[in-house]
Amino acid sequence: FVQGRKVGDRETLIELAVAVGLDATEVAQVLDSDRFAEQVRGDISLARSFGATGVPFFVFDRKFAVSGGQPPAVFTDVMEKAWADSHPLISVVTSADGSSGNTCADGSCSV
């Protein structure tokens, strides 16, 4: 697509598939069949459940979505949010009363 190739053209798809190491005969057979129709319908259903109505549409960690072409900062922000959401900070040091804070007042630390 980036190179202006017609990705909807059967022969172009076969040529591109071969360029990445796929077998031309198998690719042609797949294109002429409905071998992966069920999987494609599943992908379409999943995309709709995320709210996709067009392309491009990006999903991060199955929770965050970005629709359309966006500046790099948008992707950086959503990736940072997805990472923070899936990797929350957990306090492992608490004081005797259960509150977070400095527990090394006497030179020894209690964990």
Side-chain angles (χ1 to χ4, degrees), residues 21-42:
L22 299 177
D23 178 74
T25 303
E26 186 174 351
V27 170
Q29 289 171 350
V30 168
L31 291 174
D32 293 337
S33 73
D34 63 353
R35 180 171 161 193
F36 293 104
E38 187 66 29
Q39 290 91 330
V40 171
R41 282 191 287 277

